Amino acid sequence: AQSVTQPDIHITVSEGASLELRCNYSYGATPYLFWYVQSPGQGLQLLLKYFSGDTLVQGIKGFEAEFKRSQSSFNLRKPSVHWSDAAEYFCAVGAGSTLGRLYFGRGTQLTVWP
Amino acid sequence: GAVVSQHPSWVICKSGTSVKIECRSLDFQATTMFWYRQFPKQSLMLMATSNEGSKATYEQGVEKDKFLINHASLTLSTLTVTSAHPEDSSFYICSARQVNTEAFFGQGTRLTVV
Protein backbone atom coordinates (compact mmCIF):
# COMPACT_ATOMS: atom_id res chain seq x y z
CA ALA A 1 0.00 0.00 0.00
CA GLN A 2 1.15 3.50 -0.69
CA SER A 3 1.98 5.85 2.14
CA VAL A 4 3.78 9.11 2.73
CA THR A 5 5.75 10.10 5.80
CA GLN A 6 6.59 13.66 6.71
CA PRO A 7 8.58 13.26 9.91
CA ASP A 8 8.57 16.92 10.91
CA ILE A 9 5.25 18.23 12.18
CA HIS A 10 6.48 21.75 12.75
CA ILE A 11 9.59 23.59 11.55
CA THR A 12 10.67 27.09 12.47
CA VAL A 13 13.27 28.99 10.48
CA SER A 14 14.46 32.57 10.33
CA GLU A 15 13.71 34.63 7.28
CA GLY A 16 16.55 34.29 4.81
CA ALA A 17 17.62 30.90 6.11
CA SER A 18 17.59 27.78 3.99
CA LEU A 19 14.83 25.23 4.29
CA GLU A 20 14.49 21.51 3.79
CA LEU A 21 11.24 19.63 4.37
CA ARG A 22 11.50 15.88 4.44
CA CYS A 23 9.25 13.40 2.70
CA ASN A 24 9.54 9.65 2.43
CA TYR A 25 7.15 7.49 0.49
CA SER A 26 6.23 3.87 0.18
CA TYR A 27 4.98 2.69 -3.17
CA GLY A 28 5.56 -0.45 -5.17
CA ALA A 29 6.04 1.12 -8.57
CA THR A 30 7.53 4.33 -9.90
CA PRO A 31 5.73 7.03 -7.98
CA TYR A 32 4.28 10.29 -9.07
CA LEU A 33 5.29 12.76 -6.37
CA PHE A 34 3.95 16.16 -5.47
CA TRP A 35 4.47 18.98 -3.03
CA TYR A 36 1.55 21.25 -2.17
CA VAL A 37 1.25 24.30 0.03
CA GLN A 38 -1.85 25.27 1.97
CA SER A 39 -2.58 28.55 3.69
CA PRO A 40 -5.12 28.53 6.57
CA GLY A 41 -8.65 27.80 5.36
CA GLN A 42 -7.54 27.56 1.76
CA GLY A 43 -7.20 24.86 -0.83
CA LEU A 44 -3.95 23.41 -2.11
CA GLN A 45 -1.48 25.05 -4.41
CA LEU A 46 0.88 22.84 -6.37
CA LEU A 47 4.53 23.75 -5.78
CA LEU A 48 6.11 21.09 -7.97
CA LYS A 49 5.76 17.56 -9.20
CA TYR A 50 7.89 14.63 -10.31
CA PHE A 51 6.71 12.19 -12.91
CA SER A 52 9.92 11.01 -14.56
CA GLY A 53 13.21 12.26 -15.95
CA ASP A 54 15.48 14.68 -14.15
CA THR A 55 15.37 13.87 -10.47
CA LEU A 56 15.86 17.50 -9.45
CA VAL A 57 12.67 19.39 -10.16
CA GLN A 58 12.10 23.09 -9.99
CA GLY A 59 8.86 24.56 -8.82
CA ILE A 60 7.19 27.86 -8.17
CA LYS A 61 8.25 30.42 -5.56
CA GLY A 62 11.88 29.29 -5.69
CA PHE A 63 11.24 25.78 -4.38
CA GLU A 64 12.94 22.66 -5.65
CA ALA A 65 12.80 18.99 -4.74
CA GLU A 66 15.00 16.00 -5.41
CA PHE A 67 13.72 12.51 -6.03
CA LYS A 68 16.01 9.86 -4.58
CA ARG A 69 14.78 6.41 -5.43
CA SER A 70 17.35 4.65 -3.27
CA GLN A 71 16.12 6.53 -0.21
CA SER A 72 12.44 6.66 -1.23
CA SER A 73 12.60 10.36 -0.56
CA PHE A 74 11.37 13.54 -2.19
CA ASN A 75 12.63 16.38 0.00
CA LEU A 76 11.60 19.96 -0.63
CA ARG A 77 14.19 22.73 -0.45
CA LYS A 78 14.44 26.47 -0.69
CA PRO A 79 17.73 28.37 -0.36
CA SER A 80 16.28 31.48 1.28
CA VAL A 81 12.92 31.52 3.03
CA HIS A 82 10.61 34.51 2.92
CA TRP A 83 8.06 35.39 5.61
CA SER A 84 5.30 34.71 3.07
CA ASP A 85 6.38 31.07 2.88
CA ALA A 86 4.83 30.39 6.29
CA ALA A 87 2.13 27.78 5.63
CA GLU A 88 1.38 24.06 5.76
CA TYR A 89 3.27 21.89 3.30
CA PHE A 90 2.05 18.52 2.11
CA CYS A 91 3.90 15.82 0.24
CA ALA A 92 1.76 13.43 -1.79
CA VAL A 93 2.20 10.32 -3.88
CA GLY A 94 -0.01 9.53 -6.83
CA ALA A 95 -1.22 5.99 -7.24
CA GLY A 96 -0.43 4.37 -10.55
CA SER A 97 -2.18 5.52 -13.68
CA THR A 98 -4.76 7.55 -11.78
CA LEU A 99 -2.69 10.67 -11.30
CA GLY A 100 -5.33 12.46 -9.29
CA ARG A 101 -5.74 9.76 -6.69
CA LEU A 102 -3.32 11.11 -4.13
CA TYR A 103 -2.16 9.96 -0.74
CA PHE A 104 -0.88 12.72 1.47
CA GLY A 105 1.59 12.97 4.29
CA ARG A 106 0.51 14.52 7.58
CA GLY A 107 1.92 17.87 6.60
CA THR A 108 4.66 20.11 7.97
CA GLN A 109 3.76 23.47 9.44
CA LEU A 110 6.38 26.08 8.59
CA THR A 111 6.83 29.12 10.80
CA VAL A 112 9.13 31.90 9.64
CA TRP A 113 10.67 34.28 12.16
CA PRO A 114 11.43 37.80 10.95
CA GLY B 1 -6.24 27.65 -16.95
CA ALA B 2 -7.19 24.56 -14.92
CA VAL B 3 -9.40 26.28 -12.40
CA VAL B 4 -11.54 24.26 -10.01
CA SER B 5 -14.20 26.03 -8.00
CA GLN B 6 -16.08 24.78 -4.97
CA HIS B 7 -19.33 26.14 -3.66
CA PRO B 8 -20.06 27.07 -1.00
CA SER B 9 -16.80 28.09 0.67
CA TRP B 10 -18.37 27.54 4.04
CA VAL B 11 -21.70 26.23 5.28
CA ILE B 12 -23.38 25.77 8.63
CA CYS B 13 -26.22 23.30 8.91
CA LYS B 14 -28.33 21.79 11.63
CA SER B 15 -27.78 18.26 12.80
CA GLY B 16 -29.96 15.82 10.86
CA THR B 17 -30.16 17.87 7.68
CA SER B 18 -28.35 17.25 4.40
CA VAL B 19 -25.95 19.59 2.70
CA LYS B 20 -24.65 19.62 -0.86
CA ILE B 21 -21.22 20.79 -1.95
CA GLU B 22 -20.47 21.51 -5.58
CA CYS B 23 -17.18 21.11 -7.40
CA ARG B 24 -16.83 22.63 -10.86
CA SER B 25 -14.05 22.61 -13.40
CA LEU B 26 -14.33 26.05 -14.97
CA ASP B 27 -12.09 25.82 -18.00
CA PHE B 28 -11.62 22.15 -18.74
CA GLN B 29 -13.57 18.94 -18.90
CA ALA B 30 -12.91 16.81 -15.86
CA THR B 31 -13.07 13.13 -16.66
CA THR B 32 -12.34 12.31 -13.05
CA MET B 33 -12.99 14.15 -9.81
CA PHE B 34 -11.83 13.35 -6.32
CA TRP B 35 -13.16 14.24 -2.90
CA TYR B 36 -10.98 14.65 0.17
CA ARG B 37 -11.68 15.36 3.80
CA GLN B 38 -9.35 17.24 6.09
CA PHE B 39 -9.68 17.31 9.86
CA PRO B 40 -8.22 20.29 11.73
CA LYS B 41 -4.45 20.31 11.62
CA GLN B 42 -4.38 16.94 9.88
CA SER B 43 -3.73 15.64 6.43
CA LEU B 44 -6.13 15.16 3.56
CA MET B 45 -7.84 11.81 3.36
CA LEU B 46 -9.13 10.61 0.00
CA MET B 47 -12.82 9.81 0.30
CA ALA B 48 -13.83 8.81 -3.20
CA THR B 49 -13.07 8.93 -6.90
CA SER B 50 -15.79 9.74 -9.38
CA ASN B 51 -15.79 9.38 -13.14
CA GLU B 52 -18.32 11.20 -15.23
CA GLY B 53 -21.40 9.09 -15.75
CA SER B 54 -20.27 6.33 -13.41
CA LYS B 55 -20.79 5.46 -9.80
CA ALA B 56 -18.19 6.78 -7.43
CA THR B 57 -15.53 4.51 -5.99
CA TYR B 58 -15.24 4.98 -2.26
CA GLU B 59 -12.15 4.44 -0.16
CA GLN B 60 -12.27 1.88 2.58
CA GLY B 61 -14.07 3.12 5.65
CA VAL B 62 -16.04 5.85 3.89
CA GLU B 63 -19.79 5.47 4.23
CA LYS B 64 -21.39 5.51 0.80
CA ASP B 65 -24.83 6.28 2.14
CA LYS B 66 -23.53 9.14 4.25
CA PHE B 67 -21.48 10.80 1.54
CA LEU B 68 -23.34 10.73 -1.76
CA ILE B 69 -21.27 11.66 -4.78
CA ASN B 70 -22.67 12.50 -8.17
CA HIS B 71 -20.64 13.30 -11.28
CA ALA B 72 -23.36 13.98 -13.80
CA SER B 73 -21.37 16.09 -16.23
CA LEU B 74 -17.78 16.70 -17.27
CA THR B 75 -17.66 19.93 -15.32
CA LEU B 76 -19.62 19.21 -12.16
CA SER B 77 -19.44 16.81 -9.25
CA THR B 78 -21.44 17.10 -6.06
CA LEU B 79 -20.91 15.73 -2.58
CA THR B 80 -24.00 15.46 -0.41
CA VAL B 81 -23.54 14.86 3.28
CA THR B 82 -26.75 13.20 4.36
CA SER B 83 -28.22 13.43 7.83
CA ALA B 84 -25.24 15.44 8.95
CA HIS B 85 -23.98 15.23 12.51
CA PRO B 86 -21.38 17.29 14.35
CA GLU B 87 -18.72 14.64 13.70
CA ASP B 88 -19.14 15.32 9.96
CA SER B 89 -17.86 18.84 10.50
CA SER B 90 -14.70 19.14 8.48
CA PHE B 91 -12.97 20.78 5.55
CA TYR B 92 -13.91 19.11 2.28
CA ILE B 93 -11.75 19.60 -0.81
CA CYS B 94 -12.32 18.39 -4.33
CA SER B 95 -9.92 18.00 -7.20
CA ALA B 96 -10.46 17.42 -10.88
CA ARG B 97 -8.37 16.17 -13.76
CA GLN B 98 -8.42 15.54 -17.46
CA VAL B 99 -6.96 12.47 -19.08
CA ASN B 100 -3.20 12.23 -18.54
CA THR B 101 -2.88 15.32 -16.38
CA GLU B 102 -2.48 15.83 -12.70
CA ALA B 103 -5.46 16.96 -10.66
CA PHE B 104 -6.21 20.55 -9.73
CA PHE B 105 -7.73 21.42 -6.38
CA GLY B 106 -10.66 23.56 -5.40
CA GLN B 107 -10.42 26.03 -2.57
CA GLY B 108 -12.30 23.80 -0.14
CA THR B 109 -15.58 23.95 1.78
CA ARG B 110 -15.73 24.35 5.54
CA LEU B 111 -18.74 22.41 6.89
CA THR B 112 -19.93 23.02 10.42
CA VAL B 113 -22.81 20.95 11.76
CA VAL B 114 -24.51 22.37 14.85
Side-chain angles (χ1 to χ4, degrees), chain B residues 81-111:
Chain B
V81 183
T82 62
S83 187
H85 290 283
E87 56 265 31
D88 299 323
S89 298
S90 196
F91 193 58
Y92 293 89
I93 306 178
C94 73
S95 67
R97 64 179 290 259
Q98 304 174 81
V99 175
N100 294 325
T101 71
E102 74 268 25
F104 300 92
F105 283 83
Q107 75 275 27
T109 297
R110 171 75 58 194
L111 170 63

Short mmCIF file of all heavy atoms in Angstrom, two decimals, chain B residues 81-111:
data_model
loop_
_atom_site.label_atom_id
_atom_site.label_comp_id
_atom_site.label_asym_id
_atom_site.label_seq_id
_atom_site.Cartn_x
_atom_site.Cartn_y
_atom_site.Cartn_z
N VAL B 81 -23.68 15.46 1.96
CA VAL B 81 -23.54 14.86 3.28
C VAL B 81 -24.95 14.69 3.83
O VAL B 81 -25.65 15.69 4.08
CB VAL B 81 -22.69 15.73 4.21
CG1 VAL B 81 -22.50 15.05 5.56
CG2 VAL B 81 -21.34 16.04 3.57
N THR B 82 -25.38 13.47 3.95
CA THR B 82 -26.75 13.20 4.36
C THR B 82 -26.85 13.05 5.87
O THR B 82 -25.93 12.55 6.53
CB THR B 82 -27.28 11.93 3.69
OG1 THR B 82 -26.48 10.81 4.12
CG2 THR B 82 -27.20 12.04 2.17
N SER B 83 -27.98 13.53 6.40
CA SER B 83 -28.22 13.43 7.83
C SER B 83 -26.96 13.79 8.62
O SER B 83 -26.40 12.99 9.38
CB SER B 83 -28.67 12.01 8.20
OG SER B 83 -29.06 11.94 9.55
N ALA B 84 -26.52 15.00 8.38
CA ALA B 84 -25.24 15.44 8.95
C ALA B 84 -25.27 15.48 10.47
O ALA B 84 -26.30 15.81 11.08
CB ALA B 84 -24.88 16.81 8.39
N HIS B 85 -24.14 15.17 11.06
CA HIS B 85 -23.98 15.23 12.51
C HIS B 85 -22.71 16.00 12.82
O HIS B 85 -21.85 16.18 11.94
CB HIS B 85 -23.93 13.82 13.10
CG HIS B 85 -25.24 13.11 13.03
ND1 HIS B 85 -26.27 13.38 13.89
CD2 HIS B 85 -25.69 12.17 12.17
CE1 HIS B 85 -27.31 12.62 13.58
NE2 HIS B 85 -26.98 11.88 12.54
N PRO B 86 -22.55 16.47 14.03
CA PRO B 86 -21.38 17.29 14.35
C PRO B 86 -20.05 16.62 13.98
O PRO B 86 -19.11 17.33 13.61
CB PRO B 86 -21.52 17.49 15.87
CG PRO B 86 -22.99 17.48 16.10
CD PRO B 86 -23.53 16.44 15.13
N GLU B 87 -19.97 15.31 14.04
CA GLU B 87 -18.72 14.64 13.70
C GLU B 87 -18.40 14.71 12.20
O GLU B 87 -17.28 14.36 11.79
CB GLU B 87 -18.73 13.18 14.15
CG GLU B 87 -19.87 12.36 13.61
CD GLU B 87 -21.05 12.30 14.57
OE1 GLU B 87 -21.27 13.26 15.32
OE2 GLU B 87 -21.76 11.28 14.53
N ASP B 88 -19.38 15.13 11.40
CA ASP B 88 -19.14 15.32 9.96
C ASP B 88 -18.52 16.68 9.68
O ASP B 88 -18.11 16.96 8.54
CB ASP B 88 -20.44 15.18 9.17
CG ASP B 88 -21.07 13.80 9.32
OD1 ASP B 88 -20.29 12.82 9.39
OD2 ASP B 88 -22.31 13.71 9.39
N SER B 89 -18.47 17.53 10.68
CA SER B 89 -17.86 18.84 10.50
C SER B 89 -16.40 18.66 10.08
O SER B 89 -15.66 17.91 10.71
CB SER B 89 -17.92 19.65 11.80
OG SER B 89 -19.26 19.87 12.19
N SER B 90 -16.04 19.33 9.03
CA SER B 90 -14.70 19.14 8.48
C SER B 90 -14.49 20.10 7.32
O SER B 90 -15.36 20.88 6.97
CB SER B 90 -14.55 17.69 7.99
OG SER B 90 -13.20 17.36 7.78
N PHE B 91 -13.31 20.02 6.75
CA PHE B 91 -12.97 20.78 5.55
C PHE B 91 -12.95 19.78 4.41
O PHE B 91 -12.22 18.80 4.45
CB PHE B 91 -11.59 21.43 5.74
CG PHE B 91 -11.24 22.49 4.74
CD1 PHE B 91 -12.04 23.61 4.58
CD2 PHE B 91 -10.08 22.40 3.98
CE1 PHE B 91 -11.72 24.62 3.66
CE2 PHE B 91 -9.74 23.40 3.06
CZ PHE B 91 -10.56 24.49 2.91
N TYR B 92 -13.79 20.02 3.41
CA TYR B 92 -13.91 19.11 2.28
C TYR B 92 -13.31 19.78 1.05
O TYR B 92 -13.63 20.92 0.72
CB TYR B 92 -15.37 18.74 2.02
CG TYR B 92 -15.97 17.91 3.14
CD1 TYR B 92 -16.57 18.53 4.23
CD2 TYR B 92 -15.91 16.52 3.12
CE1 TYR B 92 -17.11 17.79 5.27
CE2 TYR B 92 -16.44 15.77 4.15
CZ TYR B 92 -17.03 16.41 5.22
OH TYR B 92 -17.56 15.66 6.25
N ILE B 93 -12.43 19.05 0.37
CA ILE B 93 -11.75 19.60 -0.81
C ILE B 93 -11.93 18.65 -1.98
O ILE B 93 -11.80 17.43 -1.83
CB ILE B 93 -10.24 19.78 -0.55
CG1 ILE B 93 -9.99 20.62 0.69
CG2 ILE B 93 -9.56 20.42 -1.76
CD1 ILE B 93 -8.50 20.79 1.01
N CYS B 94 -12.22 19.21 -3.13
CA CYS B 94 -12.32 18.39 -4.33
C CYS B 94 -11.14 18.69 -5.25
O CYS B 94 -10.47 19.71 -5.12
CB CYS B 94 -13.62 18.65 -5.07
SG CYS B 94 -13.68 20.23 -5.93
N SER B 95 -10.88 17.77 -6.13
CA SER B 95 -9.92 18.00 -7.20
C SER B 95 -10.47 17.40 -8.47
O SER B 95 -11.35 16.54 -8.44
CB SER B 95 -8.54 17.42 -6.86
OG SER B 95 -8.60 16.01 -6.82
N ALA B 96 -9.96 17.86 -9.59
CA ALA B 96 -10.46 17.42 -10.88
C ALA B 96 -9.30 17.30 -11.86
O ALA B 96 -8.34 18.08 -11.80
CB ALA B 96 -11.50 18.41 -11.41
N ARG B 97 -9.44 16.34 -12.78
CA ARG B 97 -8.37 16.17 -13.76
C ARG B 97 -8.95 15.76 -15.10
O ARG B 97 -10.04 15.20 -15.20
CB ARG B 97 -7.39 15.11 -13.29
CG ARG B 97 -7.96 13.72 -13.18
CD ARG B 97 -6.91 12.72 -12.73
NE ARG B 97 -5.91 12.47 -13.74
CZ ARG B 97 -5.90 11.40 -14.53
NH1 ARG B 97 -6.85 10.50 -14.44
NH2 ARG B 97 -4.95 11.24 -15.43
N GLN B 98 -8.14 16.06 -16.13
CA GLN B 98 -8.42 15.54 -17.46
C GLN B 98 -7.61 14.27 -17.64
O GLN B 98 -6.83 13.90 -16.77
CB GLN B 98 -8.01 16.56 -18.52
CG GLN B 98 -8.63 17.92 -18.36
CD GLN B 98 -8.08 18.92 -19.35
OE1 GLN B 98 -8.49 18.96 -20.50
NE2 GLN B 98 -7.15 19.72 -18.93
N VAL B 99 -7.75 13.66 -18.79
CA VAL B 99 -6.96 12.47 -19.08
C VAL B 99 -5.48 12.86 -19.15
O VAL B 99 -5.12 13.85 -19.76
CB VAL B 99 -7.42 11.83 -20.41
CG1 VAL B 99 -6.51 10.66 -20.76
CG2 VAL B 99 -8.86 11.39 -20.32
N ASN B 100 -4.65 12.09 -18.49
CA ASN B 100 -3.20 12.23 -18.54
C ASN B 100 -2.66 13.55 -17.98
O ASN B 100 -1.61 14.03 -18.40
CB ASN B 100 -2.68 12.06 -19.97
CG ASN B 100 -2.89 10.64 -20.46
OD1 ASN B 100 -2.80 9.69 -19.69
ND2 ASN B 100 -3.21 10.50 -21.73
N THR B 101 -3.39 14.14 -17.07
CA THR B 101 -2.88 15.32 -16.38
C THR B 101 -3.01 15.10 -14.88
O THR B 101 -3.75 14.22 -14.44
CB THR B 101 -3.64 16.61 -16.74
OG1 THR B 101 -4.95 16.54 -16.14
CG2 THR B 101 -3.76 16.79 -18.23
N GLU B 102 -2.27 15.92 -14.14
CA GLU B 102 -2.48 15.83 -12.70
C GLU B 102 -3.78 16.53 -12.34
O GLU B 102 -4.40 17.20 -13.15
CB GLU B 102 -1.31 16.48 -11.94
CG GLU B 102 -1.29 18.00 -11.98
CD GLU B 102 -0.47 18.54 -13.12
OE1 GLU B 102 -0.29 17.84 -14.14
OE2 GLU B 102 0.00 19.69 -12.98
N ALA B 103 -4.21 16.36 -11.10
CA ALA B 103 -5.46 16.96 -10.66
C ALA B 103 -5.22 18.36 -10.12
O ALA B 103 -4.15 18.67 -9.60
CB ALA B 103 -6.09 16.08 -9.58
N PHE B 104 -6.24 19.19 -10.24
CA PHE B 104 -6.21 20.55 -9.73
C PHE B 104 -7.27 20.67 -8.64
O PHE B 104 -8.37 20.16 -8.76
CB PHE B 104 -6.48 21.54 -10.86
CG PHE B 104 -5.45 21.45 -11.96
CD1 PHE B 104 -5.66 20.62 -13.05
CD2 PHE B 104 -4.27 22.16 -11.88
CE1 PHE B 104 -4.70 20.50 -14.05
CE2 PHE B 104 -3.31 22.06 -12.88
CZ PHE B 104 -3.53 21.22 -13.96
N PHE B 105 -6.90 21.39 -7.58
CA PHE B 105 -7.73 21.42 -6.38
C PHE B 105 -8.63 22.65 -6.32
O PHE B 105 -8.24 23.75 -6.75
CB PHE B 105 -6.86 21.38 -5.13
CG PHE B 105 -6.32 20.02 -4.84
CD1 PHE B 105 -5.18 19.55 -5.48
CD2 PHE B 105 -6.95 19.19 -3.93
CE1 PHE B 105 -4.68 18.28 -5.22
CE2 PHE B 105 -6.46 17.92 -3.65
CZ PHE B 105 -5.33 17.47 -4.31
N GLY B 106 -9.80 22.45 -5.75
CA GLY B 106 -10.66 23.56 -5.40
C GLY B 106 -10.18 24.22 -4.13
O GLY B 106 -9.21 23.77 -3.50
N GLN B 107 -10.87 25.27 -3.73
CA GLN B 107 -10.42 26.03 -2.57
C GLN B 107 -10.95 25.46 -1.25
O GLN B 107 -10.59 25.92 -0.19
CB GLN B 107 -10.86 27.51 -2.69
CG GLN B 107 -12.33 27.77 -2.42
CD GLN B 107 -13.20 27.56 -3.64
OE1 GLN B 107 -12.89 26.78 -4.54
NE2 GLN B 107 -14.33 28.24 -3.67
N GLY B 108 -11.81 24.45 -1.34
CA GLY B 108 -12.30 23.80 -0.14
C GLY B 108 -13.61 24.37 0.37
O GLY B 108 -13.97 25.52 0.07
N THR B 109 -14.31 23.56 1.14
CA THR B 109 -15.58 23.95 1.78
C THR B 109 -15.51 23.59 3.25
O THR B 109 -15.27 22.43 3.60
CB THR B 109 -16.77 23.23 1.14
OG1 THR B 109 -16.88 23.62 -0.23
CG2 THR B 109 -18.07 23.57 1.89
N ARG B 110 -15.71 24.58 4.09
CA ARG B 110 -15.73 24.35 5.54
C ARG B 110 -17.16 24.02 5.95
O ARG B 110 -18.04 24.87 5.81
CB ARG B 110 -15.23 25.58 6.28
CG ARG B 110 -15.42 25.53 7.80
CD ARG B 110 -14.41 24.62 8.44
NE ARG B 110 -13.05 25.02 8.17
CZ ARG B 110 -12.00 24.24 8.38
NH1 ARG B 110 -12.16 23.02 8.87
NH2 ARG B 110 -10.78 24.67 8.12
N LEU B 111 -17.41 22.82 6.42
CA LEU B 111 -18.74 22.41 6.89
C LEU B 111 -18.75 22.36 8.40
O LEU B 111 -17.90 21.70 9.02
CB LEU B 111 -19.10 21.03 6.33
CG LEU B 111 -20.35 20.36 6.93
CD1 LEU B 111 -21.59 21.19 6.63
CD2 LEU B 111 -20.51 18.94 6.41
#
